[in-house]
Amino acid sequence: MSLSRRTVLKQGMFASALLALGGSSFLALREGLSLPIPEEGLQVFGPAEYATFQALARRAFPAREGFPSADTVRVAFLADRLLARGDPSIAREVRQVLGLFDNALAGLLFSGHVTPFSRLPPAAQDAVLEGWRSSRLVFRRTAHQALRALAHAAYYSHPDAVRATGFIAPEGFHDANAPVWRGSADGAFAGSGGTSR
Amino acid sequence: MMGRIWTGDEVTEDTTLTCDVCVVGSGAGGGVLGLELAKRGLDVVMLEEGGYHTRRDFDLDEAKAYSTFYQEGGNRATDDLAISIFQGRTVGGGTTINWCACFRTPPEILERWRDVHGVKGLDTAALTPHWDWLEERLSIRDWPIERANRNNRILWDGLGALGYSRGTVKRNVRACAALGTCGVGCPTDAKQSTLVTLIPEAVEQGMRLYANASVRQLSTQGIRVTAVHADVLDPATSRPTGKKLTVNAKVTAVCGGAINSPGLLLRSKLTGRGNVGKRLFLHPVVISQARFRERVEAYSGAPLTVYSRQFIDRGPGKLGWLLEVPPLMPLQSAVALSGFGAEHQEHMASLPHANALLSICLDGVHPGDEGGTVALRDASEYTRFKVRYPLRDFHWEGFREALKVSARIQFAAGAEQVMSPHSRPVVMRGEKDIALLDRAPYSPLECSVVSAHQMGGCAMGGSPETSVVDSTLRYWDLDNLFVVDGSVFPTALGVNPMETILGVARWGSQHVAAAVGSTA
């Protein structure tokens, strides 16, 4: 299915209008889940965004034997740190999307409920996520992809999650004290390329 | 002249340098060019936006690797996120973190560049001596099928069972321990990237390399580039330190790759008569994931050693593809493979039994296939560009057929289950289920597409009206500006691009040197 330019434009305007609505209406002010802020503090997320993302992570990583839970891994905290390392514009966009995701007005428009995503029961949260994943509106699928990728990157950056997949990194090959060559003042280059000429 | 490598923390005040040639970027293009110019006795300054990371940093931690050694922390993508783009950002560029596959340019591609795009003097005969030299210098050798890991064996066996053509891949390695972790940097320096080969040699010849130097703009006067302006970045955060690096060079060569090179030209108001940023090709890839009863351990062993070009030419108007397998590291797999929630966890729990097949689609060679575009975003968005790549019915038809072929190959090799790259995967348990792929949705973000090969954006050609650089890699409207990287390709290749970039750069170095006045 290819979208006409006009359709994309309309969707873009619709998305922009919705993003602009964040926090500006009665429904938008309905409070979502509240979670304690990590001891280390947050660098990108506000408290509401942090809680919304952790709620999403709990659905992305439901309880499964051998796998650490989303709360054990602290997915939202790790996502906050990942975002802090990137271009600030990415963090800004993710925050906007999370605001919209938990926005009761958007919930009413897209799925007919006025309870913020983060306060819905698990089955309803799964339905909301499925609605964003399979939406006919490209911007909703884009938002789902952005949040999904961030959650997966954060979760599988944790050693326990990596271990759960069965992957074992090769050991004995990395030398954290290997010398760093910067020029001929350090002697001849010691890398394999430098010794073969 | 004493060569050296500096990092951003060592540049503690605004600095101005003069030299013969300023090379912007240190990947396959810049690495070769820097060495060839330094060997001619020219004074070369190389600027690299990424950090100087060596084997002491390659600790096989995926999360750190993607966020440190890749563009945009591993999050580069088209604007709508429909295509994820994996691209290096470190000294050595993509050669530091790629999977070591080396192919010479297919002759029919070079012929197309000549016949359709007006490129002169760049053919197989012209490139052969450069490839010969590079293959010797970078130890580019066949990786025989006897050394293939199980992941590659699956492709080999499946191709053989169906009677399809197949071959083994040449790799640029020496004393390779086949760890399988090439994508996060080689901890043993076995990978013969420009990081451990050509760049150190160039530095020994006198080249000065500044890592953590983000080139923001080229100043021009009349028909000449007069200065290269870079922001110095903090190696720890990649944020600007406030210090400036300015290079006054006789000649400037932009080697930032197919997204950053057009981006730099556009920031410098060099639009190439509207051609800069056009004809971006991504080799769009769809991934077919399979599960086998036995352990595959696709994260272990040399990652990419078998290929097939059986389907590269499907006739006029049909998207063709190259078949290869990727390594399946946990974090990379989690982000790239499909599914969500319990379904996705099920895939991850069976990672040791997983195989994946890449269909790397050849774009830019069919009438009307103009690829994508690179444009500037808001000035405050430091590393990001507006990358667009419209996926049309032409692409989706090719992706669908590629997934059907992949599934057949995987079943022929013994897969017990094959899954499509849809956001809700099509799950197939035998040949009879392959028809399910015909009924799946094919649209952006409903069917996942990725790219690890970026080409074009500053196309080479026979006319300034349709291309950015001429057949000597010189920017059409400036005397002393060259582009030497994969961005000059007028089309994609249909093979992994590293060796083509290396070869074109070495071939092109004669023209850059001549522009300085060197005839050596």
Side-chain angles (χ1 to χ4, degrees), chain A residues 1-2 56 59-62 64 67 82 84-90 92-93 129-130 133-134 138 141-142 144-146 148-149 152-153 155-157 162 164-167 169-170 173-185 187-189 191-194 196-197, chain B residues 2-7 10 52 54-56 58-60 63 67-68 80-81 137 174 177 179 187-189 192 196-197 200-201 203-204 239 299 329-331 334-335 337-342 344-346 348-349 351-352 377 381-384 423-424 442-446:
Chain A
M1 181 188 80
S2 59
L56 179 146
R59 301 317 306 146
F61 311 105
R64 183 189 173 96
F67 279 74
L82 280 177
R85 296 188 62 172
D87 193 302
S89 63
I90 296 176
R92 193 164 57 243
E93 288 173 12
L129 286 161
E130 175 61 15
R133 181 198 69 76
S134 60
V138 173
R141 301 205 300 273
T142 298
H144 183 273
Q145 169 63 9
R148 173 193 181 278
H152 285 173
Y155 183 77
Y156 286 102
S157 68
V162 171
T165 67
F167 173 76
F173 294 94
H174 174 240
D175 178 2
N177 298 311
V180 177
W181 184 90
R182 287 175 181 264
S184 48
F189 177 68
S192 54
S196 65
R197 291 187 295 279
Chain B
M2 285 281 281
R4 191 178 184 276
I5 297 172
W6 283 266
T7 46
E10 296 179 288
Y52 180 42
T54 66
R55 65 189 169 103
R56 75 188 300 169
F58 301 148
D59 61 5
L60 313 184
S67 63
T68 309
D80 59 2
L81 306 189
R137 179 68 183 84
R174 178 171 295 162
L179 304 181
T188 67
D189 279 349
Q192 300 296 285
V196 302
T197 56
E201 189 175 346
V203 171
E204 287 183 336
R239 304 264 196 261
Y299 39 73
M329 299 281 282
L331 194 158
V335 174
L337 300 180
S338 298
F340 190 82
H344 186 264
Q345 270 188 315
E346 184 65 30
M348 294 305 295
L351 190 68
R377 296 175 73 109
E381 299 191 38
Y382 197 78
T383 60
R384 300 174 78 195
S423 61
R424 168 160 284 180
Y442 291 92
S443 61
L445 295 151
E446 286 198 280

Side-chain angles (χ1 to χ4, degrees), chain A residues 91-171:
Chain A
R92 193 164 57 243
E93 288 173 12
V94 170
R95 292 183 65 181
Q96 281 184 325
V97 166
L98 281 170
L100 184 59
F101 203 76
D102 210 35
N103 184 299
L105 177 58
L108 178 64
L109 288 172
F110 293 137
S111 53
H113 62 74
V114 293
T115 305
F117 167 83
S118 60
R119 285 199 176 281
L120 287 170
Q125 287 180 332
D126 288 345
V128 169
L129 286 161
E130 175 61 15
W132 283 75
R133 181 198 69 76
S134 60
S135 173
R136 293 177 60 195
L137 303 175
V138 173
F139 92 88
R140 289 184 73 200
R141 301 205 300 273
T142 298
H144 183 273
Q145 169 63 9
L147 299 179
R148 173 193 181 278
L150 181 60
H152 285 173
Y155 183 77
Y156 286 102
S157 68
H158 193 285
D160 289 348
V162 171
R163 208 170 294 121
T165 67
F167 173 76
I168 299 169
E171 291 184 357

